[in-house]
Amino acid sequence: EAQVTQNPRYLITVTGKKLTVTCSQNMNHEYMSWYRQDPGLGLRQIYYSMNVEVTDKGDVPEGYKVSRKEKRNFPLILESPSPNQTSLYFCASSPWATGTGNTIYFGEGSWLTVV
Amino acid sequence: AQSVTQLDSQVPVFEEAPVELRCNYSSSVSVYLFWYVQYPNQGLQLLLKYLSGSTLVESINGFEAEFNKSQTSFHLRKPSVHISDTAEYFCAVRYKAAGNKLTFGGGTRVLVKP
């Protein structure tokens, strides 16, 4: 079954304590990305990766890091979380093919609360 | 900048009544258009998409959306809603020149009342 798996699904953490949200896909997709969802703002892209070792900033990258050492994994790292990073996070993946409408698959989301 | 506007943040509607969710996007250049649905406490599911061809697209559960290039709109409609349609709906645009990035609207929360 085609899947994008995120962990943890729910996390409450404290300001400044480094955390990593993992994302893994089993579809051999080149393209992976992270979004955050906030009320009234929809989903906004944080970072994306077009392939292994190729990453770039999205619309709201401040306070986040990513890495892409393997094709299937794309972890999101919060080095020093702050309360304004409290949000619902989604990982997404798709084949990389500009100019086509190939389906983008989303994970189930990770609820992160920073206190 | 590319943007997607969903004009209604919340839409209360009675069961079996029709509903329309409005979506406008900022540019008329080549786009792909999507509607995603998020049921309570769940992730995003693709509801329907427009890639090319007929401007009217349908989903398997009775929703339809019409692409209007001149008005840069992609409104979602359902003639008769069920309680189970209670969810948040997101319009998203993929600009062909922007690769795989989706630009989302702010979402419309639909509450179906009995």
Side-chain angles (χ1 to χ4, degrees):
Chain A
E1 181 189 353
Q3 274 189 328
V4 179
T5 304
Q6 300 177 222
N7 279 295
R9 296 287 317 283
Y10 304 91
L11 179 64
I12 300 174
T13 190
V14 296
T15 299
K17 185 177 180 181
K18 180 180 178 180
L19 69 92
T20 299
V21 185
T22 63
C23 174
S24 181
Q25 50 95 1
N26 63 358
M27 296 166 279
N28 201 36
H29 287 164
E30 294 83 13
Y31 185 90
M32 297 184 74
S33 62
W34 278 100
Y35 292 82
R36 61 177 287 174
Q37 180 185 346
D38 300 291
L41 299 177
L43 281 79
R44 294 174 293 167
Q45 192 182 57
I46 303 170
Y47 267 95
Y48 66 94
S49 168
M50 291 187 286
N51 215 324
V52 175
E53 302 292 1
V54 182
T55 64
D56 206 348
K57 296 177 181 178
D59 296 321
V60 288
E62 294 78 19
Y64 305 94
K65 286 175 58 176
V66 293
S67 69
R68 189 89 181 274
K69 294 184 171 57
E70 305 166 281
K71 199 172 187 180
R72 64 182 290 123
N73 296 323
F74 190 46
L76 179 70
I77 304 157
L78 287 73
E79 292 272 2
S80 183
S82 62
N84 64 10
Q85 292 178 296
T86 293
S87 189
L88 174 59
Y89 292 85
F90 286 101
C91 181
S93 78
S94 67
W96 172 250
T98 302
T100 74
N102 45 281
T103 297
I104 295 176
Y105 296 82
F106 284 88
E108 292 199 329
S110 294
W111 285 97
L112 173 62
T113 301
V114 184
V115 297
Chain B
Q2 300 154 351
S3 65
V4 179
T5 302
Q6 291 183 241
L7 295 162
D8 305 295
S9 59
Q10 292 189 67
V11 174
V13 58
F14 286 106
E15 196 173 15
E16 297 184 6
V19 70
E20 179 179 75
L21 309 183
R22 296 176 290 170
C23 172
N24 288 89
Y25 56 97
S26 61
S27 172
S28 62
V29 298
S30 298
V31 294
Y32 301 116
L33 300 162
F34 304 83
W35 276 98
Y36 284 85
V37 58
Q38 185 178 33
Y39 297 105
N41 300 313
Q42 294 188 27
L44 287 171
Q45 300 178 30
L46 180 65
L47 188 60
L48 48 75
K49 62 183 177 182
Y50 170 79
L51 304 182
S52 64
S54 171
T55 57
L56 186 66
V57 290
E58 298 176 351
S59 72
I60 58 172
N61 55 357
F63 283 92
E64 63 179 29
E66 185 156 22
F67 168 50
N68 188 319
K69 187 175 182 179
S70 63
Q71 297 186 6
T72 60
S73 69
F74 191 53
H75 300 332
L76 180 71
R77 288 183 280 266
K78 188 170 185 179
S80 176
V81 296
H82 303 291
I83 296 287
S84 59
D85 292 321
T86 293
E88 189 158 20
Y89 294 79
F90 293 95
C91 180
V93 176
R94 189 163 151 191
Y95 294 89
K96 292 184 185 179
N100 289 26
K101 177 186 173 183
L102 284 171
T103 300
F104 284 85
T108 299
R109 197 175 293 275
V110 173
L111 177 59
V112 181
K113 302 177 182 179

